[in-house]
Amino acid sequence: MIKTELDLLVFGSLLLTMSSQQAVVEHPVLGIRDGKIVFVMPRKDFQEGAYCAKKVLNRRDTLIMPGLINTHTHLAMTCFRGMADDLPLMTWLHERIFPAEAQHVSPQMVYAGSLLAMAEMILSGTTTFCDSYFFVDSVARAAMDAGMRAVVSQGFIDFPTPDTPDPSRQLDTVERLIASWKGASPLIQPALFCHSPYSCSPETLLRIKAAASRENLLYMLHLSETREEISLIQERYGRKPALFLRDLGVLDSATLAVHCTWLDEEEMAVLAECGVRVSHAPQSNMKLASGIAPIPAMQARRIPVSLGTDGSASNNDLDLFREMDTAAKIHKIATMDPTVMKARQVVQMATLDGAKALGLEERIGSIEAGKAADLIILDLNQPHLTPMYDPFSHLVYAATGSDVLTSIINGNVVMENRELRHLDLDAIMKEVKAIAKRIKKGHRD
Ligand SMILES: [Zn+2]
């Protein structure tokens, strides 16, 4: 009998597919070859002698699910973690973050800070992230070294930035990104990010959107994060932010709007009509007291809403399990209704809806034959996960990132039994500590 060759065979106690039917498979067996899922089936249907696998993962009491997708990060800001807390957004941004970035952000700092963030993300179950920052080449190189799937977006704002000192040369920066990373790896998707409608002129917003459309790239921006932004845009353009952006012509299904904290009914209708996707970052919104985004109302309008942690200076961690817990609870208290934002829906936001937000739903976000093998394996044999009536409940209300044992990205085991396979964590932490020492002293990196 000819055996089917596999790269990896994974056994578990329970598997959440997170496909549109949200099927749950008991005692699952999963086969992986060439980075893709070949089959998922219950063990009773599995014919042992029909396959030969290069590697087998088989541990009792484990849950297999799609890797989590973090749709909004500024990874290198791990270097600023805990540096400026307990401040309102505009003070935090203009008095602390922007000056620190102007002084310390360099290709080396972005590489080291991003690598640290990737170690933290892999250790807490994230397999795909969407980052927006400067020196994007360093982020993409770090993702390749870590073996992570990444949307790496170049940040733009209307003042000199560390990688674009002359804002009139923004399109040169776009060209460099595209030349280096478009089509370079199945793991890396380049994208473009305008900081916000208040920090980018209409010309910048339009120019960057045109470049994104021409190159078929995702276009992102922070939108309606604070009440202050609403009055600023209203004063400047005589319209609410979402209406201003629609009239400008930058809203469509390749636009990912981050935060959307203060959208009203009319603006939500505009987002739904234009097909815009949303990244919800509740912990950042809470920490900066920005507000509570009307997510249940957006979901009622079928706007795809995903989860993001935002940067480590405004969260201050990258654990999407904590973000899921917060997302589930914040909307219950905001609406005084415990039935909104159910656990199952929140897990979908961190998986398949995350893939939709990034335009990657054909490739990732669920465990189905033919999709990329991006998955995580959790250890269920723990007091805080015992007993288990409903796995979705545990994932949102009881689990943390440290329950993730093993992580597989594109068929590649990047963490096994909590050991990182591609990253030297001690060396990475040493490097970031050295950068933080220079930041404390105020010296240039
Ligand atoms: Zn952000």
Side-chain angles (χ1 to χ4, degrees):
M1 182 183 174
I2 298 168
K3 294 187 176 189
T4 303
E5 291 198 5
L6 296 170
D7 293 327
L8 196 56
L9 197 54
V10 188
F11 295 84
S13 312
L14 201 64
L15 181 145
L16 311 183
T17 59
M18 298 315 295
S19 61
S20 47
Q21 298 81 25
Q22 295 202 339
V24 175
V25 183
E26 286 191 25
H27 304 294
V29 190
L30 190 142
I32 296 169
R33 188 178 55 229
D34 298 331
K36 290 203 163 71
I37 296 162
V38 181
F39 62 81
V40 185
M41 62 175 83
R43 196 160 187 164
K44 62 178 170 48
D45 299 338
F46 177 68
Q47 289 181 296
E48 192 96 43
Y51 301 95
C52 84
K54 288 180 192 145
K55 184 177 173 69
V56 178
L57 295 173
N58 188 357
R59 189 163 150 160
R60 290 166 69 92
D61 295 321
T62 51
L63 179 145
I64 305 168
M65 64 179 290
L68 304 182
I69 299 173
N70 187 342
T71 61
H72 185 61
T73 62
H74 310 288
L75 295 184
M77 292 183 88
T78 47
C79 294
F80 302 135
R81 188 186 339 243
M83 186 191 80
D85 294 325
D86 310 327
L87 295 168
L89 177 73
M90 293 301 177
T91 315
W92 175 82
L93 208 51
H94 290 283
E95 292 177 23
R96 306 299 296 274
I97 298 301
F98 286 160
E101 286 183 335
Q103 199 184 353
H104 297 289
V105 172
S106 66
Q108 297 73 25
M109 175 270 193
V110 172
Y111 179 79
S114 299
L115 217 46
L116 178 71
M118 290 177 206
E120 185 186 349
M121 287 192 291
I122 292 171
L123 282 161
S124 55
T126 294
T127 53
T128 296
F129 65 82
C130 174
D131 192 57
S132 301
Y133 212 58
F134 309 111
F135 297 116
V136 174
D137 191 62
S138 296
V139 184
R141 280 193 296 111
M144 293 296 287
D145 292 347
M148 282 197 85
R149 193 178 299 281
V151 176
V152 291
S153 67
Q154 172 66 45
F156 295 102
I157 197 163
D158 277 347
F159 54 73
T161 58
D163 64 1
T164 313
D166 176 0
S168 73
R169 315 282 307 186
Q170 287 170 339
L171 286 181
D172 296 351
T173 310
V174 173
E175 291 310 318
R176 275 201 302 277
L177 172 71
I178 288 164
S180 305
W181 291 103
K182 196 176 177 196
S185 158
L187 287 178
I188 308 287
Q189 312 288 321
L192 304 177
F193 171 76
C194 284
H195 178 265
S196 67
Y198 64 85
S199 58
C200 294
S201 67
E203 294 73 30
T204 301
L205 293 165
L206 261 179
R207 195 183 318 127
I208 302 302
K209 177 63 186 176
S213 301
R214 191 176 59 242
E215 297 292 338
N216 203 15
L217 307 181
L218 187 69
Y219 173 77
M220 273 167 284
L221 77 176
H222 292 132
L223 172 64
S224 289
E225 184 173 359
T226 61
R227 265 191 296 205
E228 204 175 340
E229 175 182 337
I230 313 297
S231 29
L232 257 167
I233 298 294
Q234 189 80 43
E235 260 171 50
R236 222 182 274 173
Y237 305 114
R239 269 161 292 177
K240 290 177 274 193
L243 306 189
F244 159 66
L245 292 174
R246 177 202 55 191
D247 297 346
L248 198 60
V250 300
L251 298 185
D252 59 29
S253 62
T255 301
L256 178 63
V258 181
H259 298 308
C260 299
T261 318
W262 289 97
L263 293 187
D264 66 10
E265 288 293 335
E266 188 186 11
E267 291 179 289
M268 283 189 267
V270 163
L271 257 53
E273 206 180 291
C274 297
V276 172
R277 291 113 200 262
V278 168
S279 177
H280 176 40
Q283 291 200 347
S284 169
N285 295 160
M286 287 167 74
K287 185 160 178 278
L288 292 160
S290 299
I292 302 176
I295 300 300
M298 290 185 215
Q299 288 173 326
R301 291 179 181 277
R302 301 195 166 273
I303 296 172
V305 181
S306 57
L307 286 178
T309 53
D310 215 351
S312 300
S314 60
N315 187 308
N316 293 355
D317 64 80
L318 298 164
D319 184 345
L320 268 180
F321 283 92
R322 290 180 60 171
E323 208 71 38
M324 284 198 281
D325 179 73
T326 305
K329 290 172 181 164
I330 193 175
H331 299 290
K332 290 174 169 55
I333 199 69
T335 55
M336 289 303 281
D337 179 357
T339 68
V340 302
M341 206 57 90
K342 293 181 170 58
R344 191 180 276 257
Q345 183 169 18
V346 176
V347 176
Q348 186 177 316
M349 288 164 74
T351 53
L352 190 58
D353 288 352
K356 282 182 190 161
L358 304 180
L360 296 174
E361 66 269 32
E362 301 298 320
R363 293 166 60 187
I364 57 169
S366 58
I367 298 180
E368 294 175 82
K371 276 198 166 181
D374 286 15
L375 51 105
I376 55 176
I377 304 172
L378 279 83
D379 180 9
L380 296 176
N381 189 29
Q382 304 192 67
H384 64 283
L385 302 178
T386 304
M388 188 169 75
Y389 298 101
D390 174 358
F392 295 98
S393 163
H394 273 9
L395 290 173
V396 173
Y397 298 119
T400 70
S402 55
D403 298 325
V404 179
L405 276 176
T406 295
S407 180
I408 298 166
I409 304 175
N410 214 35
N412 185 9
V413 180
V414 295
M415 176 173 75
E416 186 172 357
N417 294 323
R418 297 211 54 76
E419 288 288 324
L420 293 170
R421 286 299 201 73
H422 303 311
L423 299 176
D424 180 346
L425 190 53
D426 288 337
I428 296 166
M429 290 197 292
K430 193 175 163 197
E431 174 70 17
V432 173
K433 282 178 190 167
I435 292 169
K437 213 169 166 182
R438 292 197 285 275
I439 292 173
K440 268 188 217 164
K441 283 187 185 161
H443 291 164
R444 194 170 171 78
D445 182 44

